[in-house]
Amino acid sequence: MAVASVAAALLAALGGALWLAARRFSGPRNQRQQGGGDPGLMHGKTVLITGANSGLGRATAAELLRLGARVIMGCRDRARAEEAAGQLRQELCQAGGAGPDGTDGQLVVKELDLASLRSVRAFCQKLLQEEPRLDVLINNAGVFHCPYTKTEDGFEMQFGVNHLGHFLLTNLLLGLLKSSAPSRIVVVSSKLYKYGEINFEDLNSEQSYNKSFCYSRSKLANILFTRELARRLEGTNVTVNVLHPGIVRTNLGRHIHIPLLARPLFNLVSWAFFKTPLEGAQTSIYLACSPDVEGVSGRYFGDCKEEELLPKAMDESVARKLWDISEVMVGILK
Ligand SMILES: NC(=O)C1=CN([C@@H]2O[C@H](COP(=O)(O)OP(=O)(O)OC[C@H]3O[C@@H](n4cnc5c(N)ncnc54)[C@H](OP(=O)(O)O)[C@@H]3O)[C@@H](O)[C@H]2O)C=CC1
Ligand SMILES: CC1=C(/C=C/C(C)=C/C=C/C(C)=C/C=O)C(C)(C)CCC1
């Protein structure tokens, strides 16, 4: 009896996955994969993408390159970043874009480890010396469900990388973004923010660690950061918006342990149910370059449409308190 029910469950999953797969390759989403905007849309603009060597960041970089942007990949591992950059240059060349080695400097790799405030400061100092403008900053990099570890500065890893590292990075680049206005900041959050709380008494989870809760907290922090930053940027012509990409088939799940025998089923399910990185990147690309959102700031988007936030993500006093404590944690001098 047990064998029969397991077989039935597997068949049902397989059938469901195949049905979804059929729907996926016939549905309208697939057309959008070809990339919307016109190739000149981002010509002359410089875009910085954190975590651009993998997943959503890589897909975002590929599309913005195709639209003519100059893309700076802010990545922590030089080898992985250069490998991804080489592939992106090839793809661009095959799509009729820049020369085979990107000789016009359209794609550059710069080392940035968001788990190290020292690395963030060094990255920003170098970028401010070398770059005359910054039109779009995309805070994309992230870590998900890692074992309890701390950053170089003693922060819980998910809170440190997903929020605090980007908090310092953004603050250090605000001057260049303002002098490049109209300019944009795009923050990649997640639907899972709904399960987070900002526990000011234990932001580094030293009393107890729950990897799901800490991830959700870091994603809620992304949204609160966006709304407080939008308030502080009023009148500067620098906008900041936040998004969730849906569920996307990327390397984010690297810390999820799936038994070897179950992996093929999980891979099938993720292939059928999850978005491709290019599909998942559509809202980042939209917020980075669409004229539809010129002047829009402080809003939350999904699938290129504005979405409602839960009250806890709209709490201005929590957002302000998080900002103030983040300034202290990253050592931003008043
Ligand atoms: N995939 C999904 O279903 C969802 C993803 N998101 C969000 O999307 C964003 C992108 O993740 P995704 O593309 O899915 O996952 P990936 O793991 O494919 O990409 C994450 C990127 O972040 C980089 N990164 C991780 N830690 C650091 C660090 N300390 N310093 C600098 N870069 C770092 C990774 O670099 P490296 O390759 O060296 O590890 C990688 O380039 C994340 O913010 C995530 O929270 C939100 C909702 C759903
Ligand atoms: C792709 C893939 C996986 C990863 C799933 C992930 C990473 C889901 C992340 C969801 C998030 C982060 C939602 C909202 O933030 C598995 C199951 C490990 C193995 C099969 C292939």
Side-chain angles (χ1 to χ4, degrees):
M1 186 56 188
V3 170
S5 56
V6 167
L10 282 174
L11 273 175
L14 188 61
L18 291 174
W19 175 72
L20 275 160
R23 201 165 66 104
R24 176 186 192 76
F25 284 99
S26 56
R29 269 194 319 185
N30 205 28
Q31 275 82 49
R32 207 165 49 210
Q33 288 259 19
Q34 313 318 322
D38 83 83
L41 183 63
M42 293 298 280
H43 198 76
K45 294 194 182 290
T46 297
V47 181
L48 166 59
I49 307 171
T50 64
N53 62 282
S54 174
L56 285 164
R58 188 189 182 291
T60 304
E63 185 60 12
L64 292 179
L65 280 168
R66 193 186 68 80
L67 295 173
R70 177 164 182 274
V71 175
I72 301 169
M73 301 169 69
C75 303
R76 63 175 167 176
D77 182 294
R78 166 73 59 178
R80 282 202 287 268
E82 291 295 358
E83 184 185 358
Q87 293 161 359
L88 288 166
R89 290 188 183 103
Q90 283 297 331
E91 290 164 22
L92 187 62
C93 171
Q94 285 153 12
D101 60 354
T103 47
D104 58 358
Q106 193 183 343
L107 179 60
V108 293
V109 172
K110 292 181 189 278
E111 285 185 45
L112 166 66
D113 183 352
L114 291 155
S116 160
L117 299 180
R118 176 189 45 76
S119 172
V120 173
R121 288 196 175 87
F123 170 88
C124 291
Q125 187 178 18
K126 191 168 186 298
L127 188 135
L128 293 172
Q129 283 166 355
E130 295 173 351
E131 300 296 331
R133 62 177 306 113
L134 181 60
D135 299 279
V136 185
L137 165 62
I138 303 180
N139 289 343
N140 164 82
V143 59
F144 174 75
H145 285 198
C146 54
Y148 185 67
T149 40
K150 289 192 169 182
T151 67
E152 185 178 284
D153 309 276
F155 307 135
E156 182 275 313
M157 187 58 77
Q158 296 180 94
F159 190 66
V161 170
N162 300 353
H163 169 60
L164 289 172
H166 282 117
F167 178 85
L168 179 60
L169 176 79
T170 307
N171 272 281
L172 294 180
L173 297 180
L174 273 184
L176 185 55
L177 284 157
K178 288 174 181 174
S179 63
S180 309
S183 52
R184 303 181 182 191
I185 301 164
V186 178
V187 178
V188 183
S189 181
S190 161
K191 286 180 189 174
L192 292 180
Y193 86 87
K194 296 170 182 171
Y195 307 108
E197 295 293 340
I198 306 295
N199 172 6
F200 288 104
E201 309 315 315
D202 187 22
L203 285 175
N204 289 319
S205 302
E206 281 152 347
Q207 289 155 26
S208 65
Y209 180 62
N210 175 304
K211 59 188 175 183
S212 302
F213 174 79
C214 284
Y215 177 77
S216 293
R217 173 195 299 171
S218 73
K219 292 293 139 178
L220 174 58
N222 288 153
I223 296 171
L224 293 164
F225 163 68
T226 298
R227 292 183 52 80
E228 178 64 16
L229 179 59
R231 197 178 62 76
R232 292 167 183 246
L233 288 176
E234 278 168 15
T236 63
N237 226 354
V238 181
T239 61
V240 53
N241 292 292
V242 62
L243 68 108
H244 76 80
I247 306 287
V248 193
R249 194 167 60 250
T250 66
N251 294 318
L252 198 70
R254 69 188 79 184
H255 298 295
I256 301 175
H257 172 65
I258 307 284
L260 200 60
L261 288 177
R263 267 231 175 247
L265 180 64
F266 272 87
N267 281 319
L268 182 70
V269 166
S270 70
W271 178 76
F273 284 97
F274 291 20
K275 289 180 180 177
T276 65
L278 181 57
E279 286 171 339
Q282 290 305 310
T283 309
S284 295
I285 296 159
Y286 172 75
L287 292 176
C289 55
S290 172
D292 299 355
V293 287
E294 190 60 55
V296 172
S297 198
R299 306 297 175 82
Y300 174 67
F301 290 79
D303 286 331
C304 305
K305 290 187 294 294
E306 187 177 347
E307 292 190 5
E308 288 290 303
L309 282 167
L310 294 179
K312 68 175 160 181
M314 310 272 280
D315 188 324
E316 291 190 6
S317 64
V318 170
R320 193 166 295 125
K321 185 173 179 182
L322 175 66
W323 184 284
D324 292 343
I325 203 163
S326 298
E327 280 189 331
V328 171
M329 291 175 88
V330 304
I332 289 185
L333 301 177
K334 284 288 180 195

